[in-house]
Amino acid sequence: MLDARGGVPCVIHWGADLGELDDLALAALADAVVPAVPPSSVDVPLRFSLWPGLAEGWSGRPALAGHRQGVPAPALRLVALGDSWVRAKSADDSLELTTELELTPEGVLRIRHRLTNLGDTDFELSGLNMLLPIPEQASELLDFTGLWAHEREPQRGSLRHGVWSRESRHGRPGHDDAFLMMAGEPGFGFRRGRVWATHLAWSGDKQIWAERSALGYGALGAGELLEPGEIRLGPGDSYETPWLIAVFSDSGIDGLSDRLHPWIRSRSPLRLPRPVVLNTWEAVYFDHDFSVLGRLVDAAASVGVERFVLDDGWFTGRRDDKRALGDWYVDSSVWPDGLHPLISRVVSAGMEFGLWVEPEMISPDSDLARAHPSWMLDSSLTWRWQRVLDLNNPDAFAFVRDRLAALLSEYPIAYLKWDHNRDVLTPGATHRQTHALYRLLSELRASFPNVEIESCASGGARIDLGILDLVDRFWTSDTNDPLDRQKIQRWTSVLIPPEYLGGHLGAGAAHVTGRSSALGFRLATALFGSAGIEWNLNAASPSELAVIAEWIAEYKRLRPLLHTGVVVRADAADPANEVHGVVSQDRSSAVFALVALGTPRSALPPPVRFPGLDPNRVYTVRPIGTPPKMVQDAAPAWLSVGSVTLPGRVLSELGLPSPLLAPEQAILLSVDAS
Ligand code: DGJ
């Protein structure tokens, strides 16, 4: 809610729905919330503006920072106002700022600014941020950190006076991306507490922060992180920020997902059903051999896979990860007839074909780098022995676009796994590089509208709502270890609906951690997402293949629910035992997982509670899928019988006695209304 009656629009309220307010009530509210003037302060009431800054007495982090020949950006005054935008100009008419605001029917607020230099000299921009006020109850913060194969590690703390700022300088959000910054009532959980949250829809460098000021205000803010000199606006030039995505929930973290998921699903709709994928990376790595891969195609088809993806290793000279990025021609020494024989086998087995690429990169040891050394972005450091291709060089951009277009034209490729395996590390390059990436993706999508694209960045280092406008799937993490995956998927799906998040069944001993896990646990974990396989099925036993085939059949039956339903997570009294599930939009059916991550604190763990059901309907709960290993002399009564029928209210409030799962096991439960 904005009060735009003065020279500067003030944010009156961001949070709970205050009901219908007519113009009179709105005006009364706007007047009523004008605060007192404290001692030792500016002599006018300090209000939280849409562009907080020193000019209004706001001494916290400002919205706008920059200068013209050493003179800081002047104060802004409102000049025009539309239904979903406001416009301001500086007193000397040298800058114009337009702010767009949109509150979607799902309750997602989007804000972005556009700054135009109306002066006749350059304006050096150092920051243009979106800020929203948060109330005093929002005193506990939750955001994320992480590392390779351990993305989305939650971290909590209290918000005291000062700034808690998370900054990404990776040229991609990074494995430690703050992702979604939540400020909530102390102890807020999945199902309880008021929470205010922000995300920046941007795939480059950024800052996202929470601040509580001694002035009395709290704020959540975010913007692109700009290096000195990165944005110099010449006369007439404009800079547009990424969208800030802001959501409020009065029912905990799940309430945030309840707004975000329907909005994302309507904005970036996917073609359903999501195909079951087999990706070759952990099956063969760089060891491409048609006879091995051909058998893998047959095995994949026999268990019900629908999309076969050839990962890294197919292009000229790429026998390991030390060379050849940029040489996007099929390696004739490995594939003498191109990819045609493999793709024919895939297609005749009834599957689609997908191909791995890493278009933004270049290996110093590549024909491309030898021919065009200047196409590598400046950075003396290699990372995974590779450099970044300068997509702002029009020739480099055209080369990589045309190479991809040639491959997509020559072969029936349904899907690109688009990787990005290093930080950019070139000061001042990220803004332009990220926009060039968006342009590259847009141009390819325009030319090949039926090709789906997965955003992968050494696993999940580029999962954001900026790139989601241009891709269809995220590779959530390079770890297929189900124990890690449980956590990573749980937290990534707070923002991103599960059907956009790749989750694959890996080998018995996870390649990344070496930890061994039961097949049932791996299957139950990979079920909740865009499911696939990352395992050399040629090495699976007939009985394992039979279980996998059954699992895929079950997944195909469940995916209409899993990929359109409401994601729910119970607040766990014992972190060793977690419950999550998906409830259909009409609440007629649901699938839940009770997951034992470790050893429970007590002999009888807390009951399994089923959030999100209709309290007034009656449901039957029964186990499905591969039975887990249990460590109990006798199962709880309802499970011994095989099913139980009870009202939703009882299942949500009281729950059912928990079976005693062995550590690293999961039981799947279907819940169907009578
Ligand atoms: C990193 C990705 O995350 C992996 O899945 C795989 O595609 C490798 N790159 C290939 O180099």
Side-chain angles (χ1 to χ4, degrees), residues 259-294:
R259 295 193 192 280
L260 289 160
H261 288 186
W263 175 66
I264 291 169
R265 284 170 171 161
S266 68
R267 247 184 83 69
S268 310
L270 290 175
R271 279 193 291 266
L272 297 177
R274 301 310 299 149
V276 179
V277 168
L278 182 137
N279 186 58
T280 61
W281 181 238
E282 290 195 355
V284 298
Y285 292 102
F286 293 102
D287 204 359
H288 286 199
D289 174 327
F290 180 50
S291 69
V292 174
L293 286 166

Short mmCIF file of all heavy atoms in Angstrom, two decimals, residues 259-294:
data_model
loop_
_atom_site.label_atom_id
_atom_site.label_comp_id
_atom_site.label_asym_id
_atom_site.label_seq_id
_atom_site.Cartn_x
_atom_site.Cartn_y
_atom_site.Cartn_z
N ARG A 259 2.06 -18.96 -2.24
CA ARG A 259 1.88 -17.82 -3.15
C ARG A 259 2.83 -17.95 -4.34
O ARG A 259 2.46 -17.70 -5.48
CB ARG A 259 2.20 -16.52 -2.43
CG ARG A 259 1.25 -16.18 -1.29
CD ARG A 259 1.46 -14.73 -0.87
NE ARG A 259 0.78 -14.41 0.38
CZ ARG A 259 -0.52 -14.14 0.47
NH1 ARG A 259 -1.28 -14.18 -0.60
NH2 ARG A 259 -1.04 -13.83 1.64
N LEU A 260 4.08 -18.35 -4.04
CA LEU A 260 5.10 -18.37 -5.10
C LEU A 260 4.83 -19.45 -6.14
O LEU A 260 4.95 -19.22 -7.34
CB LEU A 260 6.48 -18.58 -4.48
CG LEU A 260 7.01 -17.37 -3.69
CD1 LEU A 260 8.11 -17.80 -2.73
CD2 LEU A 260 7.53 -16.31 -4.65
N HIS A 261 4.48 -20.65 -5.68
CA HIS A 261 4.35 -21.76 -6.63
C HIS A 261 3.25 -21.51 -7.67
O HIS A 261 3.50 -21.66 -8.87
CB HIS A 261 4.13 -23.07 -5.89
CG HIS A 261 5.35 -23.57 -5.18
ND1 HIS A 261 5.41 -24.79 -4.56
CD2 HIS A 261 6.57 -23.01 -4.99
CE1 HIS A 261 6.62 -24.96 -4.02
NE2 HIS A 261 7.32 -23.89 -4.26
N PRO A 262 2.03 -21.13 -7.25
CA PRO A 262 1.01 -20.89 -8.28
C PRO A 262 1.40 -19.76 -9.23
O PRO A 262 1.12 -19.81 -10.42
CB PRO A 262 -0.25 -20.51 -7.48
CG PRO A 262 0.02 -20.86 -6.08
CD PRO A 262 1.50 -20.97 -5.90
N TRP A 263 2.08 -18.77 -8.69
CA TRP A 263 2.49 -17.65 -9.55
C TRP A 263 3.53 -18.11 -10.57
O TRP A 263 3.43 -17.81 -11.76
CB TRP A 263 3.04 -16.51 -8.68
CG TRP A 263 3.60 -15.38 -9.46
CD1 TRP A 263 2.91 -14.54 -10.28
CD2 TRP A 263 4.97 -14.99 -9.55
NE1 TRP A 263 3.77 -13.65 -10.86
CE2 TRP A 263 5.04 -13.88 -10.43
CE3 TRP A 263 6.14 -15.45 -8.95
CZ2 TRP A 263 6.23 -13.25 -10.73
CZ3 TRP A 263 7.34 -14.81 -9.24
CH2 TRP A 263 7.37 -13.73 -10.13
N ILE A 264 4.53 -18.85 -10.09
CA ILE A 264 5.56 -19.35 -11.01
C ILE A 264 4.94 -20.28 -12.05
O ILE A 264 5.25 -20.22 -13.24
CB ILE A 264 6.68 -20.05 -10.21
CG1 ILE A 264 7.46 -19.03 -9.40
CG2 ILE A 264 7.61 -20.85 -11.12
CD1 ILE A 264 8.41 -19.61 -8.36
N ARG A 265 4.04 -21.14 -11.58
CA ARG A 265 3.41 -22.08 -12.53
C ARG A 265 2.61 -21.34 -13.59
O ARG A 265 2.54 -21.79 -14.74
CB ARG A 265 2.50 -23.04 -11.76
CG ARG A 265 3.26 -24.11 -11.02
CD ARG A 265 2.39 -24.90 -10.08
NE ARG A 265 3.13 -26.05 -9.54
CZ ARG A 265 2.78 -26.71 -8.45
NH1 ARG A 265 1.71 -26.35 -7.75
NH2 ARG A 265 3.49 -27.74 -8.04
N SER A 266 2.00 -20.20 -13.23
CA SER A 266 1.22 -19.51 -14.25
C SER A 266 2.12 -18.65 -15.14
O SER A 266 1.83 -18.42 -16.31
CB SER A 266 0.12 -18.65 -13.60
OG SER A 266 0.73 -17.59 -12.91
N ARG A 267 3.23 -18.18 -14.61
CA ARG A 267 4.14 -17.31 -15.38
C ARG A 267 5.04 -18.07 -16.32
O ARG A 267 5.34 -17.63 -17.41
CB ARG A 267 5.07 -16.61 -14.39
CG ARG A 267 4.90 -15.18 -14.26
CD ARG A 267 5.96 -14.67 -13.33
NE ARG A 267 7.22 -14.43 -14.02
CZ ARG A 267 7.43 -13.49 -14.91
NH1 ARG A 267 6.43 -12.68 -15.23
NH2 ARG A 267 8.60 -13.33 -15.48
N SER A 268 5.55 -19.20 -15.85
CA SER A 268 6.51 -19.98 -16.64
C SER A 268 5.96 -21.39 -16.78
O SER A 268 6.53 -22.34 -16.23
CB SER A 268 7.86 -20.06 -15.92
OG SER A 268 8.29 -18.80 -15.51
N PRO A 269 4.82 -21.52 -17.47
CA PRO A 269 4.19 -22.84 -17.49
C PRO A 269 5.06 -23.89 -18.18
O PRO A 269 5.75 -23.59 -19.15
CB PRO A 269 2.90 -22.60 -18.28
CG PRO A 269 3.07 -21.30 -18.97
CD PRO A 269 4.13 -20.53 -18.26
N LEU A 270 5.02 -25.08 -17.65
CA LEU A 270 5.78 -26.18 -18.21
C LEU A 270 4.87 -27.05 -19.04
O LEU A 270 3.67 -27.13 -18.78
CB LEU A 270 6.35 -27.04 -17.08
CG LEU A 270 7.45 -26.43 -16.24
CD1 LEU A 270 7.82 -27.37 -15.10
CD2 LEU A 270 8.68 -26.16 -17.12
N ARG A 271 5.49 -27.73 -19.99
CA ARG A 271 4.73 -28.76 -20.71
C ARG A 271 4.65 -29.97 -19.79
O ARG A 271 5.68 -30.52 -19.38
CB ARG A 271 5.42 -29.11 -22.02
CG ARG A 271 5.12 -28.11 -23.13
CD ARG A 271 5.55 -28.66 -24.48
NE ARG A 271 7.00 -28.74 -24.56
CZ ARG A 271 7.77 -27.78 -25.08
NH1 ARG A 271 7.25 -26.69 -25.57
NH2 ARG A 271 9.09 -27.92 -25.12
N LEU A 272 3.43 -30.36 -19.45
CA LEU A 272 3.25 -31.52 -18.58
C LEU A 272 2.78 -32.69 -19.43
O LEU A 272 2.15 -32.46 -20.46
CB LEU A 272 2.22 -31.21 -17.49
CG LEU A 272 2.60 -30.08 -16.50
CD1 LEU A 272 1.47 -29.83 -15.53
CD2 LEU A 272 3.90 -30.40 -15.76
N PRO A 273 3.01 -33.94 -19.09
CA PRO A 273 3.77 -34.37 -17.93
C PRO A 273 5.27 -34.19 -18.13
O PRO A 273 5.76 -34.20 -19.26
CB PRO A 273 3.42 -35.85 -17.84
CG PRO A 273 3.14 -36.27 -19.24
CD PRO A 273 2.52 -35.07 -19.89
N ARG A 274 5.97 -34.01 -17.03
CA ARG A 274 7.43 -33.88 -17.11
C ARG A 274 8.03 -35.26 -17.39
O ARG A 274 7.79 -36.22 -16.65
CB ARG A 274 8.02 -33.35 -15.78
CG ARG A 274 7.48 -32.02 -15.36
CD ARG A 274 7.54 -30.98 -16.44
NE ARG A 274 8.89 -30.71 -16.88
CZ ARG A 274 9.20 -30.35 -18.14
NH1 ARG A 274 8.27 -30.21 -19.06
NH2 ARG A 274 10.44 -30.10 -18.45
N PRO A 275 8.81 -35.36 -18.47
CA PRO A 275 9.36 -36.67 -18.84
C PRO A 275 10.38 -37.19 -17.82
O PRO A 275 11.11 -36.42 -17.22
CB PRO A 275 10.03 -36.40 -20.19
CG PRO A 275 10.23 -34.94 -20.25
CD PRO A 275 9.19 -34.29 -19.39
N VAL A 276 10.41 -38.49 -17.68
CA VAL A 276 11.44 -39.13 -16.84
C VAL A 276 12.75 -39.11 -17.63
O VAL A 276 12.79 -39.53 -18.79
CB VAL A 276 11.05 -40.59 -16.53
CG1 VAL A 276 12.13 -41.26 -15.69
CG2 VAL A 276 9.70 -40.64 -15.84
N VAL A 277 13.80 -38.63 -16.99
CA VAL A 277 15.08 -38.39 -17.67
C VAL A 277 16.09 -39.47 -17.29
O VAL A 277 16.10 -39.94 -16.15
CB VAL A 277 15.62 -37.01 -17.22
CG1 VAL A 277 17.06 -36.80 -17.64
CG2 VAL A 277 14.73 -35.89 -17.73
N LEU A 278 16.92 -39.85 -18.24
CA LEU A 278 18.17 -40.52 -17.85
C LEU A 278 19.31 -39.64 -18.34
O LEU A 278 19.38 -39.31 -19.53
CB LEU A 278 18.32 -41.93 -18.44
CG LEU A 278 19.63 -42.59 -17.94
CD1 LEU A 278 19.42 -44.04 -17.57
CD2 LEU A 278 20.77 -42.45 -18.93
N ASN A 279 20.17 -39.22 -17.41
CA ASN A 279 21.32 -38.39 -17.78
C ASN A 279 22.58 -39.23 -17.65
O ASN A 279 22.75 -39.95 -16.67
CB ASN A 279 21.37 -37.17 -16.84
CG ASN A 279 22.45 -36.20 -17.28
OD1 ASN A 279 22.42 -35.71 -18.40
ND2 ASN A 279 23.39 -35.92 -16.40
N THR A 280 23.47 -39.10 -18.64
CA THR A 280 24.58 -40.06 -18.71
C THR A 280 25.78 -39.71 -17.83
O THR A 280 26.73 -40.48 -17.77
CB THR A 280 25.10 -40.16 -20.17
OG1 THR A 280 25.58 -38.87 -20.57
CG2 THR A 280 24.03 -40.65 -21.11
N TRP A 281 25.76 -38.53 -17.17
CA TRP A 281 26.99 -38.07 -16.50
C TRP A 281 27.58 -39.12 -15.56
O TRP A 281 28.68 -39.62 -15.77
CB TRP A 281 26.71 -36.74 -15.78
CG TRP A 281 27.91 -36.17 -15.07
CD1 TRP A 281 28.01 -35.88 -13.76
CD2 TRP A 281 29.18 -35.81 -15.66
NE1 TRP A 281 29.25 -35.36 -13.47
CE2 TRP A 281 29.99 -35.31 -14.62
CE3 TRP A 281 29.71 -35.87 -16.94
CZ2 TRP A 281 31.30 -34.88 -14.84
CZ3 TRP A 281 31.01 -35.44 -17.16
CH2 TRP A 281 31.79 -34.95 -16.11
N GLU A 282 26.86 -39.47 -14.52
CA GLU A 282 27.45 -40.41 -13.56
C GLU A 282 27.47 -41.85 -14.08
O GLU A 282 28.07 -42.72 -13.46
CB GLU A 282 26.72 -40.32 -12.21
CG GLU A 282 27.00 -39.02 -11.49
CD GLU A 282 26.62 -39.00 -10.03
OE1 GLU A 282 26.02 -39.99 -9.54
OE2 GLU A 282 26.90 -37.99 -9.37
N ALA A 283 26.82 -42.07 -15.22
CA ALA A 283 26.85 -43.42 -15.80
C ALA A 283 28.17 -43.67 -16.52
O ALA A 283 28.78 -44.73 -16.36
CB ALA A 283 25.68 -43.62 -16.75
N VAL A 284 28.63 -42.68 -17.30
CA VAL A 284 29.83 -42.93 -18.12
C VAL A 284 30.86 -41.79 -18.07
O VAL A 284 31.95 -41.93 -18.61
CB VAL A 284 29.45 -43.18 -19.61
CG1 VAL A 284 28.59 -44.41 -19.75
CG2 VAL A 284 28.76 -41.97 -20.25
N TYR A 285 30.51 -40.67 -17.46
CA TYR A 285 31.37 -39.47 -17.47
C TYR A 285 31.84 -39.19 -18.91
O TYR A 285 31.01 -39.11 -19.81
CB TYR A 285 32.53 -39.62 -16.47
CG TYR A 285 32.01 -39.61 -15.03
CD1 TYR A 285 31.89 -40.79 -14.29
CD2 TYR A 285 31.60 -38.42 -14.43
CE1 TYR A 285 31.40 -40.77 -12.99
CE2 TYR A 285 31.11 -38.40 -13.12
CZ TYR A 285 31.00 -39.57 -12.41
OH TYR A 285 30.50 -39.56 -11.14
N PHE A 286 33.17 -39.07 -19.11
CA PHE A 286 33.65 -38.67 -20.45
C PHE A 286 33.86 -39.88 -21.37
O PHE A 286 34.30 -39.73 -22.50
CB PHE A 286 34.97 -37.90 -20.33
CG PHE A 286 34.82 -36.58 -19.65
CD1 PHE A 286 35.18 -36.40 -18.33
CD2 PHE A 286 34.29 -35.49 -20.34
CE1 PHE A 286 35.03 -35.17 -17.70
CE2 PHE A 286 34.13 -34.25 -19.73
CZ PHE A 286 34.51 -34.09 -18.40
N ASP A 287 33.56 -41.05 -20.85
CA ASP A 287 33.87 -42.26 -21.57
C ASP A 287 32.76 -42.60 -22.56
O ASP A 287 31.96 -43.51 -22.32
CB ASP A 287 34.03 -43.36 -20.50
CG ASP A 287 34.88 -44.48 -21.00
OD1 ASP A 287 35.32 -44.39 -22.16
OD2 ASP A 287 35.08 -45.44 -20.23
N HIS A 288 32.70 -41.85 -23.63
CA HIS A 288 31.61 -42.05 -24.59
C HIS A 288 31.96 -43.19 -25.55
O HIS A 288 33.01 -43.17 -26.20
CB HIS A 288 31.34 -40.76 -25.36
CG HIS A 288 30.63 -39.74 -24.53
ND1 HIS A 288 29.96 -38.67 -25.07
CD2 HIS A 288 30.48 -39.63 -23.19
CE1 HIS A 288 29.44 -37.95 -24.09
NE2 HIS A 288 29.75 -38.50 -22.94
N ASP A 289 31.07 -44.15 -25.60
CA ASP A 289 31.29 -45.32 -26.44
C ASP A 289 29.90 -45.77 -26.88
O ASP A 289 29.04 -46.06 -26.04
CB ASP A 289 32.01 -46.37 -25.59
CG ASP A 289 32.17 -47.71 -26.30
OD1 ASP A 289 31.27 -48.05 -27.10
OD2 ASP A 289 33.16 -48.41 -26.04
N PHE A 290 29.73 -45.83 -28.19
CA PHE A 290 28.38 -46.09 -28.68
C PHE A 290 27.82 -47.42 -28.19
O PHE A 290 26.64 -47.53 -27.87
CB PHE A 290 28.35 -46.03 -30.21
CG PHE A 290 26.97 -46.28 -30.76
CD1 PHE A 290 25.86 -45.60 -30.27
CD2 PHE A 290 26.77 -47.24 -31.76
CE1 PHE A 290 24.58 -45.84 -30.76
CE2 PHE A 290 25.49 -47.48 -32.25
CZ PHE A 290 24.40 -46.79 -31.75
N SER A 291 28.70 -48.44 -28.09
CA SER A 291 28.12 -49.75 -27.70
C SER A 291 27.62 -49.68 -26.25
O SER A 291 26.55 -50.20 -25.92
CB SER A 291 29.13 -50.88 -27.92
OG SER A 291 30.17 -50.75 -27.00
N VAL A 292 28.37 -48.99 -25.37
CA VAL A 292 27.94 -48.87 -23.97
C VAL A 292 26.69 -47.99 -23.90
O VAL A 292 25.69 -48.34 -23.24
CB VAL A 292 29.08 -48.25 -23.12
CG1 VAL A 292 28.61 -47.96 -21.70
CG2 VAL A 292 30.30 -49.16 -23.12
N LEU A 293 26.74 -46.86 -24.58
CA LEU A 293 25.60 -45.94 -24.51
C LEU A 293 24.36 -46.54 -25.18
O LEU A 293 23.23 -46.30 -24.73
CB LEU A 293 25.98 -44.59 -25.13
CG LEU A 293 26.91 -43.76 -24.23
CD1 LEU A 293 27.54 -42.61 -25.00
CD2 LEU A 293 26.15 -43.22 -23.01
N GLY A 294 24.59 -47.31 -26.22
CA GLY A 294 23.46 -47.97 -26.89
C GLY A 294 22.74 -48.91 -25.93
O GLY A 294 21.50 -48.94 -25.85
#
